[in-house]
Amino acid sequence: IVKSRFHTWVMIMGNFEQYDTALIVEDDKAHFLHPWQEFDKFNKTGALPIAQAEGPYIYDTDGNRLLDAVGGMWCTNIGLGRVEMAEAIADQARQMAYANPMVDMTNVPGSQLAKKLAQLAPGDLNHVFFSCGGSTAIDSALRLIHFYQNVRGMTAKKHIISRQEAYHGSTYAAMSISGKQADHIPEFDYMTETVHHLSCPYFYRAPEGLSEAAFTDMLIAEFQEKITELGGADKVAAFFAEPIMGSGGVIVPPENYLKRMWEVCQENDILFVADEVVTAFGRLGHWFASEAVFNVQPDIITTAKGLTSGYQPLGATIFSERIWQVISAPGNGRYFAHGFTYTGHPVACRAALKNIEIIEREGILEHVREVGPYFLQQLKTLEQLPIVGEVRGNHFMVCIENVASKGTRLLFPDDVNIGQRITDECASRGVLIRPIGHLNVLSPSLVLTVDEIDRIVATLRDGISAVMVALQAQSLWTE
Ligand code: PLP
């Protein structure tokens, strides 16, 4: 039994003999196609099988414990292994594991969760469409946007504007709206005629000599020009934006950028979609970040991940009263031909309700607001190291940008694999950090203690230092 300020974890330990790790890895290699699988590498190394978890820690099938600073995949917000969560899920599965959500049937957790999200979401975002994750929440937002614009007679409003390096998911539509260069590979196809990408608000790599204010002005002007280029406001349906871009490199936008982009949307009758799949449910210290952190009132918020803290798959598309009034206008015989077998799944919704109850009861948002600034401040000290170009982020969402030269911000060649090297060094010291190209990203559980924060920072310092020594020994880098 592990006690912390927040909770009592039950450790299901000591049964790792049951696993035959080599066999699991072989079976996995033979049959499980993983997201973003790199075939050549995977065929040699296979995947690391994770067997157990408690709080912010995970265990592989050999019983090795890692402090998971990745938070699963930006999602294990309240920490794993909570008995209370397991019981709520089991109880719902026993009582009613599934209910048909179609047309005129509902279920109790689904209906209660929709009400709760309407209360927590900013402004008049009072209506919720449930799906199975973040990508389907984005797809549902897009379909809702089409429906809304067509119903109001704005049938030429078809263009969607997004940003380079945005990540909105991996269905066909969500990946097309995403703008990560590394993900738009020639082997896949994408929607291109109606989706457009603006520059990324990435000040660290802004043109030399430009002030932050001038850079922001440039980005706003680019948005306005894009609207004109596409034939004017009557042709543009929506703008999609993560408040802080996540897997694009934790791009914290310049001061007022998001607010000004939102104002351009308002002026041009363009719907503003805040993709809060990562930033909601406490990661930035609030239920949702759009209004609380960036002073923006979106028309639609998409969310998933921290909504259930990863205990169940669930996505939500939360939208405004204005959209609802248009799509549901009485007397026209319309119906919303969109939805999934698992829309409003009772077990997933019950898990979300329990997750929200725990966040409220344990003051997890307050905890993030209390220790989040310390986390970032401590990580910022890594900028003293010669290959750390920038540490940026907000509360429990942070990125370390590694460079070969700080002065020129020059990157290491791809084959140096700098992010992966640092991740490997940290993993050998018991801390899991995510590599994304030349970056290392952190999005841990929100229940981290100050001691755990200190351990992550110290491990990164040691890990990065060890990598520098190795690079020097291999003549790949000199200070
Ligand atoms: N939107 C954002 C901002 C994300 O970070 C992700 C996933 O990382 C998604 C959407 C897609 O969510 P999912 O993987 O649950 O489909």
Side-chain angles (χ1 to χ4, degrees):
I1 305 276
V2 185
K3 285 190 189 299
S4 86
R5 184 190 136 188
F6 292 102
H7 42 255
T8 302
W9 310 116
V10 170
M11 306 212 305
I12 324 151
M13 294 294 297
N15 198 13
F16 290 100
E17 293 77 34
Q18 66 179 301
Y19 303 118
D20 179 342
T21 298
L23 182 64
I24 294 167
V25 172
E26 274 319 301
D27 287 348
D28 186 84
K29 272 163 89 169
H31 304 292
F32 186 166
L33 172 59
H34 292 262
W36 276 261
Q37 185 164 314
E38 294 173 36
F39 298 103
D40 293 341
K41 183 174 166 221
F42 190 88
N43 288 340
K44 286 187 209 128
T45 61
L48 173 71
I50 307 297
Q52 297 185 11
E54 93 261 351
Y57 295 93
I58 56 174
Y59 294 81
D60 68 18
T61 44
D62 294 329
N64 298 308
R65 184 167 106 138
L66 287 166
L67 175 51
D68 178 15
V70 189
M73 187 45 67
W74 324 80
C75 66
T76 57
N77 290 19
I78 63 168
L80 294 175
R82 295 223 187 212
V83 176
E84 206 184 344
M85 287 294 290
E87 280 171 355
I89 290 166
D91 184 57
Q92 185 59 48
R94 268 193 300 268
Q95 187 182 323
M96 184 182 71
Y98 176 76
N100 172 5
M102 302 284 165
V103 189
D104 58 0
M105 296 187 76
T106 192
N107 68 78
V108 177
S111 145
Q112 285 177 341
L113 181 62
K115 178 179 175 187
K116 186 72 189 174
L117 292 180
Q119 285 163 354
L120 297 178
D124 69 352
L125 302 197
N126 293 334
H127 304 273
V128 184
F129 184 85
F130 289 116
S131 57
C132 308
S135 307
T136 47
I138 289 285
D139 262 43
S140 297
L142 182 63
R143 300 215 68 214
L144 178 65
I145 289 161
H146 290 156
F147 194 102
Y148 167 77
Q149 301 291 16
N150 288 334
V151 164
R152 52 197 290 258
M154 307 297 278
T155 52
K157 267 188 176 287
K158 288 288 174 257
H159 291 289
I160 300 297
I161 299 183
S162 169
R163 278 109 36 98
Q164 287 156 11
E165 299 311 308
Y167 184 71
H168 296 294
S170 130
T171 56
Y172 180 54
M175 185 54 101
S176 302
I177 297 171
S178 298
K180 280 183 73 174
Q181 250 174 42
D183 287 343
H184 280 196
I185 55 175
E187 293 83 356
F188 276 123
D189 296 331
Y190 307 90
M191 285 160 50
T192 51
E193 282 180 14
T194 52
V195 180
H196 312 272
H197 298 96
L198 302 174
S199 302
C200 176
Y202 190 2
F203 185 57
Y204 181 66
R205 294 200 176 271
E208 197 65 46
L210 215 55
S211 70
E212 194 172 311
F215 180 53
T216 310
D217 288 346
M218 192 189 92
L219 297 170
I220 305 302
E222 184 194 20
F223 187 20
Q224 288 163 327
E225 281 155 22
K226 179 58 79 179
I227 296 168
T228 308
E229 181 195 316
L230 293 173
D234 287 352
K235 299 282 165 52
V236 182
F239 171 63
F240 282 64
E242 300 151 85
I244 291 180
M245 293 163 86
S247 62
V250 186
I251 307 296
V252 182
E255 183 85 26
N256 276 328
Y257 159 83
L258 215 58
K259 177 92 187 293
R260 289 180 62 192
M261 295 296 275
W262 174 70
E263 284 164 358
V264 173
C265 289
Q266 299 275 294
E267 284 154 20
N268 290 283
D269 184 27
I270 294 169
L271 294 172
F272 186 104
V273 184
D275 182 352
E276 294 226 35
V277 166
V278 171
T279 52
F281 298 98
R283 191 146 296 285
L284 305 189
H286 299 273
W287 291 113
F288 296 96
S290 302
E291 193 205 20
V293 181
F294 294 100
N295 203 13
V296 159
Q297 176 57 55
D299 299 287
I300 301 176
I301 289 180
T302 53
T303 192
K305 297 196 190 265
L307 172 58
T308 62
S309 286
Y311 281 80
Q312 287 285 296
L314 184 64
T317 305
I318 313 172
F319 58 99
S320 70
E321 205 56 52
R322 169 165 70 119
I323 297 177
W324 171 254
Q325 293 301 336
V326 169
I327 68 167
S328 69
N332 51 44
R334 291 190 188 102
Y335 55 95
F336 193 65
H338 173 71
F340 309 107
T341 302
Y342 297 135
T343 287
H345 192 282
V347 180
C349 291
R350 180 82 180 266
L353 285 165
K354 183 54 82 178
N355 177 56
I356 292 169
E357 182 194 314
I358 289 171
I359 294 175
E360 281 174 337
R361 192 181 67 224
E362 295 186 358
I364 290 177
L365 302 183
E366 292 76 5
H367 173 72
V368 172
R369 292 205 290 267
E370 199 182 306
V371 301
Y374 176 77
F375 187 40
L376 185 59
Q377 178 207 343
Q378 291 304 302
L379 287 165
K380 274 262 180 204
T381 64
L382 298 173
E383 286 180 350
Q384 294 153 359
L385 297 170
I387 65 165
V388 175
E390 185 180 55
V391 175
R392 56 176 172 264
N394 185 313
H395 293 78
F396 274 47
M397 186 174 180
V398 186
C399 173
I400 298 165
E401 174 147 359
N402 303 296
V403 290
S405 158
K406 278 206 206 206
T408 60
R409 292 172 208 162
L410 184 78
L411 294 178
F412 285 100
D414 285 349
D415 58 4
V416 167
N417 244 330
I418 187 70
Q420 186 65 52
R421 277 179 189 249
I422 292 170
T423 286
D424 292 346
E425 284 294 341
C426 293
S428 72
R429 291 165 172 79
V431 176
L432 193 63
I433 310 279
R434 182 172 175 203
I436 306 181
H438 66 289
L439 311 171
N440 289 99
V441 167
L442 296 95
S443 54
S445 293
L446 310 182
V447 295
L448 281 196
T449 61
V450 167
D451 283 351
E452 286 159 343
I453 288 174
D454 289 343
R455 176 161 174 227
I456 291 172
V457 178
T459 304
L460 270 162
R461 187 180 309 282
D462 292 349
I464 296 170
S465 302
V467 167
M468 291 189 309
V469 170
L471 291 174
Q472 265 173 330
Q474 295 166 325
S475 303
L476 292 170
W477 176 74
T478 44
E479 195 169 342

